[in-house]
Amino acid sequence: MSDPLRIVVVGNGMVGQKLLEELAERRPSGLDITVLCEEPRPAYDRVQLSSFFSGKTAEDLSLVPPGFFERDGLVLRLNAKAVAIDRSLKQVTTSTGETLPYDKLVLATGSYPFVPPVPGRERPDCFVYRTIEDLEAMTEAGGRSKVGVVVGGGLLGLEAAKALKDMGLETHVVEFAPRLMAVQVDDGGGRVLRQKIEALGVTVHTQKNTVEIVDGEARRHAMRFADDSVLETDMIVFSAGIRPRDELARASELGVGPRGGIVIDNHCRTLDDDIYAIGECALWDGKIYGLVAPGYEMARVCAAHIAAAVPQEDADEPPQFTGADMSTKLKLMGVDVASLGDAHAATPGARVCVYTDERKQVYKKLVVSEDGKYVLGGVLIGDAEAYGTLLQMMLNRMELPPEPEFLILPSGDGAARPALGVDALPDAAQICSCNNVSKATICAAVRDGAHSIGKLKTATKAGTSCGGCVPLTTQLMKAEMKRCGLSVNNHLCEHFPYSRQELYHLIRVGRIETFDELITRHGRGRGCDICKPAAASIFASCWNEFVLKKDKAALQDSNDYFLANIQKDGTYSIVPRIAGGEITPEKLIVLGEVAKKHRLYTKITGGQRIDLFGAQVHQLPLIWKELVDAGFESGHAYGKALRTVKSCVGSTWCRYGMLDSVSMALAIENRYKGLRAPHKIKSAVSGCTRECAEAQSKDFGVIATEKGWNLYVCGNGGMKPRHAELLAGDLDDETLIRYIDRFLMFYIRTADRLQRTSVWRDNLEGGLDYLKDVVVHDKLGIGAELEAEMAQVVGSYACEWKKAIESPEVLRRFRSFVNSDAPDSNVVFVDERNQIRPATPEEKARFKGVPVIAESA
Amino acid sequence: MDGSNMDGPSTDTGWTDVCAVDDIWPNTGVCALVEGCQVAVFRLVDDGQEQLFAIDNGDPFSDANVLSRGLVGNLGERLVVASPIYKQHFDLATGECVEDPGVSLRTWRVRVADGRVLIAA
Ligand code: SRM
Ligand SMILES: Cc1cc2nc3c(=O)[nH]c(=O)nc-3n(C[C@H](O)[C@H](O)[C@H](O)COP(=O)(O)OP(=O)(O)OC[C@H]3O[C@@H](n4cnc5c(N)ncnc54)[C@H](O)[C@@H]3O)c2cc1C
Ligand code: SF4
Ligand code: FES
């Protein structure tokens, strides 16, 4: 075998990482890759960088799958910068003085933020917006500041402004050009955009040229402009464009453009055949692409070209880079902004059609070819729904309908616009530009069984980067599924042609109280393990009857049917309610005694209560009788219902406590206990912002402040953690409860089956603002209704276990066998750390038939 | 009741009387011990029409004796029970697992006489 091909990659940014993935996927044998990464961490998602401010961590943003760098032939050097290239010796020198020989060298050095040469720009608390370290420093300064200025009103500048605004600063944007986002949008669009941004409380200054930054009087800095006006601020973020990092190339005479950028050919090669440049540092056909999708395309082209240098069987002609489309669609501070192709109508003969609605603040511009047949470009502000259609029409040169202006005009009669049927797209149409996925690839994956957007993402990678193509991909998926004769709907299951939300309305409006009536009137067949528990949950949310009433019992999952959580060996666990995590010594002793008597395994749960494990069906009522007698109630750990309301010790004991968090947690838990919902609901109350109760990870969380309670909603721990968002602040007790009533009932009414509040919120059109409108501002006028519905549930609470042990008919069902009092001989325990645990299959085989073995395992 | 289950005299040898029909709530199951085996017995009621089914109580996917505690219903034409542990469905008439047809449970004969439920291998 020949010696391995030594490859050095300089830069582990988004594009550099894509190159490594592409190489790994092709797996040409005999590559020996060293990656120099100047930053202290491997590649992360710069596109999503701003989400760092909404709680995403560096790990969340990582683009590196676990174990990626552990493979053979791949070495990553963090904090390692390349400082020189010796082209004749074919080696790279690093900042640590090492030299690395290469056969092929790839420069993926990205760009640096341009800071205009204004005197005073080196002052403290002046920042750029490019790396995680930049954002960390901004966060720190934000905490000490009241006013923030962003220099530059482009895409990134507006993102930075949003970040400052979210930190609670008085925010200004200073732009040199006469309008915002000058590159992407025209004057008309810029005007609408400005109105929208200002409506959000950001002050915009256009045509301002900063001449110096000096000490301020009231604030840290004073910025002086060419027109002699002055703006005082505590911190400044420069976002005045980017410049390619071509310093290595310059020093080794690799050929750079007049305004920077490493010149490359269609294979991404520089003028040295063994050196490539890709991503934002590369200059192709006189153009630098400041977007990630063209960079990814370069990475693919480059990887293919390198792989072709290694002898292999299927040596296809490697693909070439032939330019990329720069169309973009984004949501900037909640405003839809899209720019396509020739947005400024620079093409000779181009015809322009503009639609503006000053009241709704919508601006749309369509640029078509001279003969009116093709889309050349466009600008959409405030409503970018037409983006997907227009982009595909442009990229695929699809012939336009006779009156193309209808593509951007709102339809007065409510009729659908001539949207682009996905059927009309050619097979080769590129649907996901980030990952170069075509319509044909997506349709093929659907035919192979990818029938959800999640599966489709795994199968094709479409939609996994910027996410912009997800709506179109979903449309394609549905169309293809229809073509295959598959049904596409949000129906609960084969028995009900409705979503959970629709079923909820049918039940409430029709006052339906039994499953028989429901399925006779609105469904078909006999029901199943999906629709029965869903219906039972809705009945409970609406009418709150005893879940074990004869006609309801048959609808309940095993957990609800036996009012306990089933375990892997068929035994059950018992979780009594310990509201707010507060418990008396007497009650603790009872739990200990009951557990000891029935030989149950005991554990403190993650929800501040105590779980008793290993009870068989016939033991449950005996155990619960003792617990109910001692004053315990069901903890509903088995139900899609309110679980725990955790609390911290609060102002009663804690020296920092602002309010009595324990009392509030008790009040909340006792109010909503037993409340059935589409999924489980958890809550917590903290006595101050130190947040010892972790309220911001809960479906609804409450934190005490100097001025009252802050209410956070839609947080989640679990599989996909999500920080809760502030719904309302500084509330008194009564308003707090009112908002929680409304919030919970609104969720119960509208969520899908098994949808936690976090997922529900992520799918809620209008997002947090809409939720505030409904709950706080009562825009829908349903506040009183929601409160009344909650009052009915709260007023009809009864402990399910108390009712169960008082009903002989129900108790008869708690038997392991209908014709014998014997226990299940398949349930076998062994001792471990002085408690029981289920025996393993091997242990069972050894001890067959003996119920409890008192032997250390 | 299901007509086929009604044939034959109740004194037939091999039949075990396990409980009264009313001991099984409509559209639920119970577990009975029959000749040392755990049998899940289900009572399905639809439009006043009753049917009884009996299959093994053991769930082959979790090795726990739990199928009598599963939810019953239909998937297309088949009447099924869903395991409460990992939710596979088993055909009540044939014992076959819907998701994994290679796995099949033993079925038992079941009939009603004088309001009592009788099971036989
Ligand atoms: C017992 C306990 C673990 C422990 O020993 O600490 C536990 C045990 C189970 N959890 Fe949990 N979870 C327990 C606290 C948590 C927590 C922590 C918390 O509540 O503060 C979380 C993360 C917080 C959250 O929910 O956002 C948690 C996230 C989950 C999830 C993931 C939910 C999600 O939205 O991603 C599941 C799965 C599900 O519900 O679909 C789950 C499901 C389960 C189930 C029900 C799984 C099952 O079906 O068998 C477990 C059986 C419970 C039982 O009693 O038999 N458990 N589980 C904890 C009981 C708390 C209590 O007192 O009621
Ligand atoms: C806040 C923000 C939002 C953005 N939003 C979007 C968007 O919505 N859509 C979009 O398409 N694009 C967006 N972009 C642009 C996108 O992030 C870039 O196009 C992309 O990151 C370019 O990838 P790259 O690998 O070429 O450069 P980078 O990701 O910058 O990576 C270059 C890496 O090389 C390292 N490096 C440089 N020189 C050396 C050296 N000598 N030795 C070792 N390492 C070196 C750098 O430290 C860096 O880690 C955004 C950018 C930012 C900052
Ligand atoms: S959250 Fe505040 S009041 Fe509660 S324990 Fe922590 S520091 Fe004390
Ligand atoms: S276009 Fe960005 S993920 Fe598909």
Side-chain angles (χ1 to χ4, degrees), chain A residues 490-567:
Chain A
N490 56 356
H491 298 174
L492 202 54
C493 63
E494 64 177 80
H495 305 102
F496 289 97
Y498 301 102
S499 67
R500 179 191 175 277
Q501 182 177 358
E502 290 164 336
L503 217 54
Y504 181 95
H505 285 300
L506 290 172
I507 289 176
R508 195 172 267 285
V509 173
R511 290 211 67 83
I512 297 174
E513 296 182 20
T514 67
F515 189 76
D516 280 352
E517 189 185 346
L518 181 67
I519 204 159
T520 311
R521 281 176 58 180
H522 300 293
R524 57 175 170 263
R526 297 169 181 247
C528 65
D529 55 312
I530 307 264
C531 59
K532 283 179 170 182
S537 158
I538 300 175
F539 290 138
S541 303
C542 288
W543 322 124
N544 207 20
E545 279 181 328
F546 183 36
V547 291
L548 295 189
K549 256 182 85 171
K550 202 156 185 173
D551 67 301
K552 300 286 179 302
L555 309 178
Q556 312 293 355
D557 257 328
S558 171
N559 282 2
D560 277 290
Y561 190 79
F562 291 106
L563 303 175
N565 288 49
I566 199 163
Q567 305 297 320

Side-chain angles (χ1 to χ4, degrees), chain B residues 23 26 34 44 58 60 68 79:
Chain B
D23 288 338
V34 179
L44 270 67
S68 61
L79 295 176

Side-chain angles (χ1 to χ4, degrees), chain A residues 648-651 654 656-657 686-688 690-692:
Chain A
C648 74
V649 60
S651 61
C654 177
Y656 297 119
S686 281
C688 81
R690 287 172 190 75
E691 248 282 70
C692 303

Side-chain angles (χ1 to χ4, degrees), chain A residues 431-435 462-469:
Chain A
I431 304 299
C432 175
S433 47
C434 290
N435 299 292
T464 51
S465 301
C466 75
C469 60

Side-chain angles (χ1 to χ4, degrees), chain A residues 675-748:
Chain A
L675 176 68
R676 302 279 159 154
H679 207 316
K680 59 191 176 194
I681 316 171
K682 299 179 177 183
S683 177
V685 184
S686 281
C688 81
T689 52
R690 287 172 190 75
E691 248 282 70
C692 303
E694 299 166 315
Q696 288 170 97
S697 67
K698 299 299 175 198
D699 296 277
F700 66 101
V702 179
I703 302 177
T705 72
E706 261 172 1
K707 290 179 248 155
W709 304 105
N710 280 357
L711 174 58
Y712 294 81
V713 293
C714 305
N716 206 167
M719 305 174 228
K720 192 163 171 283
R722 179 182 196 279
H723 268 266
E725 299 156 307
L726 183 65
L727 186 73
D730 304 334
L731 307 173
D732 57 31
D733 291 11
E734 197 193 322
T735 315
L736 173 69
I737 297 293
R738 183 146 37 95
Y739 287 174
I740 301 175
D741 276 4
R742 290 178 181 181
F743 166 74
L744 287 178
M745 261 302 158
F746 187 57
Y747 160 66
I748 288 171

